[in-house]
Amino acid sequence: MSEASSRIALVGNPNCGKTALFNQLTGSNQKVANYAGVTVERKEGRFRSPSGRSFQLLDLPGAYSLDATSPDEEVTRDVCLGRLPGEALPDLLVCVADATNLRLHLRFVLEVLALGRPVVLALNMMDAAKRKGIAIDSQLLAQKLGIPVVETVAVDRQGAQALVAQLEQDWPQPSALVAGDIQARHQQVRELMRDAVRQGPVVHSLDDKIDALVLHPVLGLGLLAVLMFFIFQAVFSWAEPVMDAITDGVSAVGAWVTGFLPAGSALHSLLADGIFAGLGNVLVFMPQILILFFFILTLEESGYLPRAAYLLDRLMFKAGLTGRAFIPLLSSFACAVPGIMATRSIQDPRERLITILVAPLMTCSARLPVYALLIAAFIPHQTVWGLFNLQGLVLFGLYFAGILSALVVSLVLKWVRKDKREHALMMELPAYRIPNPRDLAFGLLQRAKIFLRRVGGIIFALTVILWFLSSFPGAPEGATGPAIDYSFAGRLGHALAYIFAPVGFNWQICVALVPGMAAREVAVSALGTVYAMSGSEDAVANQLGMLIGAQWSLPTALALLAWYVYAPQCISTLAVIRRETNSWKVMLGAMAYLFALAYGAAFATFHIASSLLA
């Protein structure tokens, strides 16, 4: 066998540790979490064993059976059967099984063995199994199954050594006979468990005691609400010192850099009005984004999220969804693109479509800079009821408005489709796990890199383009207004103002909405550039929020917040909707309904607020 043909595929039930093993072997940094459905597409990496042998490793989505019932399971089935176009049949299947739940995982192992391909069984999470008093006779299991069986701990640095050693051996065909009938296969699993697995005395574990509180229908929901509330309070309360330091740092660097350039030159304007005024006002929000993701990553690692899905299942079903939609919708709080891709784990096509359509209503991290800017500018920094930060309360309300809107839209779609299906949520609850500080730090580092790449990439490019459009053509001789009024951007903004004047938006906001099509947070940098080009360079450099707080009315700010709850302008989200549904009609429908909701909410908010403040 040549090195180039050593193709190995990791397969197994969801949340058995395949991706952690993949990262361990290849040195990759694919996302892992303590719940099912994280991996929904094929990942590929390479590694070399100590003897120098080279391997190509595939990480496939988790599957409960090769009789696929969802798009992600279809990928695994097609790769294992050699049906995926352009994908060669793997030389070896490494079947990863959770040693703490072997009865469930062995059914899939037997199904894979029936393919007649070389297989190695990796008993993962052996450390957790031993803590639970589960003793597995690996040698007897290997003898019964007719394949090599190794023990692994994917989260341990040395936990994959036995697997690597096994991969350097020959890969024989399975020698055991596997029952073809599903009932006979279940019987075979029972016999394997009887012969090779010993379960210690069953005692109520700490997980059981925690679940008694966390899964309580009343106390559990109360705990979930308090947890979410605390997170949004922390986002505003903890980030302020670091944000102030970033603001001061950007201003100082901007003043130092532009100090070497002649005032009034094009390069001085580009750096002062475009780069520092635009990018600086986005960069300042990174601490709030990292605080939010610290809590999300902690909840992911702990195993709490599937419990939250279980708690919300009944409520979500009444709105046309089920708990299976919870993880995709939660992923959408980071970005709607992976959230929509995560719907591949939903088996019902109708439920999957509804989840895709409402996923953009979850408040993605790109909205946070806009929310933070407007809240800091218009909502007083004060404590209410002696305990809560008012700005944190408003932020919580905006996130809640997005969630509530998603439920209402789902309910309307359920009513339109006259959907009266019954359902039963089948969900595997993982063991609780104390989040690994190294994994948390790595996850935050990844989010910081993503944010900085966006600032240095698409946001930088759009800021430069907007600066150009705001600078040219220049004001005609004898003009009395700001030069930007005569530029391409100024003319576009004034034209769009006719459409958005009923919702209280001025022409500067209209200009900011256009580049915000590519990335929502660009609206902040765009506002910085537009106001700097309008003659407020010093004010913008110091604090954009103070400037708009002085020039905008409160109803306008509230209307813009309402607009961004729905914010239809995100090209990446629309593109992934088109790809996942394979339908232009669905994509255009999503864009139309989001725009209608955004415009309607902004219109209502502006006029109600204006009436109350009149």
Side-chain angles (χ1 to χ4, degrees), residues 3 42 57 63 86 110 182 208 259 280 283-284 311 318 363 506 590 601:
E3 286 191 354
R42 167 192 173 283
L57 191 63
L110 293 178
I182 188 168
D208 296 329
L283 195 62
V284 71
L311 281 172
K318 288 181 178 178
T363 302
N506 57 30

Side-chain angles (χ1 to χ4, degrees), residues 5 129 243 324 332 390 448 596:
S5 66
M243 294 176 69
R324 281 182 288 265
S332 299
L390 179 59

Side-chain angles (χ1 to χ4, degrees), residues 397-412:
L398 291 168
Y399 273 75
F400 182 75
I403 296 169
L404 183 63
S405 300
L407 294 176
V408 171
V409 171
S410 301
L411 185 62
V412 170

Side-chain angles (χ1 to χ4, degrees), residues 30-74:
Q30 299 297 333
K31 178 181 174 61
V32 294
N34 191 15
Y35 55 82
V38 176
T39 304
V40 294
E41 59 184 347
R42 167 192 173 283
K43 305 283 176 52
E44 180 178 331
R46 293 180 181 275
F47 74 99
R48 191 175 292 276
S49 66
S51 67
R53 187 172 176 180
S54 177
F55 298 93
Q56 181 185 12
L57 191 63
L58 303 179
D59 180 22
L60 301 180
Y64 290 105
S65 170
L66 293 179
D67 293 327
T69 58
S70 59
D72 58 338
E73 287 189 341
E74 290 175 2

Side-chain angles (χ1 to χ4, degrees), residues 189-228:
V189 170
R190 284 192 288 271
E191 292 173 1
L192 289 168
M193 292 294 295
R194 181 197 61 202
D195 296 339
V197 181
R198 292 287 178 272
Q199 171 68 61
V202 177
V203 295
H204 290 294
S205 65
L206 181 60
D207 285 14
D208 296 329
K209 295 174 183 175
I210 296 175
D211 279 343
L213 169 64
V214 168
L215 298 180
H216 190 279
V218 177
L219 296 178
L221 284 174
L223 180 64
L224 176 62
V226 170
L227 188 59
M228 295 295 108

Side-chain angles (χ1 to χ4, degrees), residues 10 26 36 66 103 106 155 188 287 374 388 419 482 493 511 515 540 545 569 606:
L10 296 176
T26 64
L66 293 179
R103 186 181 298 278
L106 277 177
V155 295
Q188 196 169 357
L374 296 176
F388 302 116
D419 190 351
V511 172
V540 172
Q569 68 275 26
F606 177 73

Side-chain angles (χ1 to χ4, degrees), residues 48-376:
R48 191 175 292 276
S49 66
S51 67
R53 187 172 176 180
S54 177
F55 298 93
Q56 181 185 12
L57 191 63
L58 303 179
D59 180 22
L60 301 180
Y64 290 105
S65 170
L66 293 179
D67 293 327
T69 58
S70 59
D72 58 338
E73 287 189 341
E74 290 175 2
V75 173
T76 299
R77 177 201 61 196
D78 291 346
V79 171
C80 290
L81 298 179
R83 294 180 183 172
L84 197 67
E87 185 79 53
L89 195 64
D91 301 303
L92 175 71
L93 298 173
V94 173
C95 210
V96 185
D98 180 355
T100 66
N101 193 12
L102 202 53
R103 186 181 298 278
L104 172 66
H105 290 242
L106 277 177
R107 287 200 291 268
F108 184 71
V109 174
L110 293 178
E111 203 173 343
V112 173
L113 283 179
L115 297 176
R117 306 287 305 166
V119 177
V120 170
L121 173 58
L123 293 176
N124 197 32
M125 307 184 200
M126 281 300 295
D127 55 338
K130 291 173 182 173
R131 285 198 299 270
K132 289 187 174 185
I134 301 172
I136 302 175
D137 189 334
S138 301
Q139 293 186 351
L140 181 59
L141 195 59
Q143 181 183 341
K144 295 278 185 183
L145 291 171
I147 57 173
V149 176
V150 296
E151 299 181 0
T152 60
V153 181
V155 295
D156 190 295
R157 286 182 180 274
Q158 310 301 323
Q161 286 183 339
L163 176 59
V164 174
Q166 184 59 52
L167 296 181
E168 297 199 282
Q169 307 297 318
D170 293 334
W171 301 341
Q173 299 288 333
S175 58
L177 292 177
V178 179
D181 176 71
I182 188 168
Q183 293 302 326
R185 199 172 292 161
H186 286 179
Q187 177 59 32
Q188 196 169 357
V189 170
R190 284 192 288 271
E191 292 173 1
L192 289 168
M193 292 294 295
R194 181 197 61 202
D195 296 339
V197 181
R198 292 287 178 272
Q199 171 68 61
V202 177
V203 295
H204 290 294
S205 65
L206 181 60
D207 285 14
D208 296 329
K209 295 174 183 175
I210 296 175
D211 279 343
L213 169 64
V214 168
L215 298 180
H216 190 279
V218 177
L219 296 178
L221 284 174
L223 180 64
L224 176 62
V226 170
L227 188 59
M228 295 295 108
F229 191 75
F230 173 76
I231 290 173
F232 294 118
Q233 288 284 307
V235 166
F236 255 96
S237 301
W238 297 1
E240 191 171 345
V242 185
M243 294 176 69
D244 290 342
I246 293 176
T247 300
D248 294 341
V250 170
S251 298
V253 172
W256 181 76
V257 171
T258 56
F260 295 100
L261 302 172
S265 67
L267 185 57
H268 182 281
S269 175
L270 172 61
L271 292 176
D273 304 332
I275 307 302
F276 287 102
L279 298 188
N281 281 298
V282 178
L283 195 62
V284 71
F285 296 107
M286 189 168 75
Q288 291 179 322
I289 292 174
L290 293 183
I291 289 173
L292 178 63
F293 275 97
F294 168 77
F295 286 107
I296 291 177
L297 291 170
T298 301
L299 294 177
E300 285 183 346
E301 289 274 325
S302 68
Y304 176 75
L305 290 186
R307 272 100 178 161
Y310 171 81
L311 281 172
L312 295 174
D313 177 60
R314 179 173 296 181
L315 174 64
M316 295 177 73
F317 178 67
K318 288 181 178 178
L321 298 168
T322 69
R324 281 182 288 265
F326 180 80
I327 299 301
L329 294 181
L330 185 80
S331 299
S332 299
F333 279 110
C335 176
V337 171
I340 291 171
M341 291 175 63
T343 62
R344 294 177 188 177
S345 62
I346 298 177
Q347 299 169 0
D348 189 316
R350 291 174 296 183
E351 183 186 347
R352 181 172 182 247
L353 178 60
I354 293 176
T355 308
I356 288 174
L357 291 175
V358 302
L361 294 174
M362 298 297 105
T363 302
C364 66
S365 59
R367 289 180 171 106
L368 190 55
V370 182
Y371 285 171
L373 172 69
L374 296 176
I375 290 173

Side-chain angles (χ1 to χ4, degrees), residues 403-462:
I403 296 169
L404 183 63
S405 300
L407 294 176
V408 171
V409 171
S410 301
L411 185 62
V412 170
L413 291 174
K414 179 181 180 181
W415 178 76
V416 170
R417 300 173 70 94
K418 304 185 188 313
D419 190 351
K420 297 181 180 178
R421 292 168 298 145
E422 297 294 332
H423 90 299
L425 176 64
M426 299 288 289
M427 178 173 285
E428 187 179 351
L429 296 180
Y432 287 107
R433 195 166 66 199
I434 296 176
N436 187 320
R438 182 173 61 87
D439 292 340
L440 290 180
F442 178 77
L444 291 176
L445 181 62
Q446 290 294 97
R447 292 308 311 179
K449 286 182 177 177
I450 291 171
F451 180 75
L452 292 175
R453 275 200 297 270
R454 288 172 69 85
V455 170
I458 188 170
I459 298 176
F460 174 81
L462 290 172

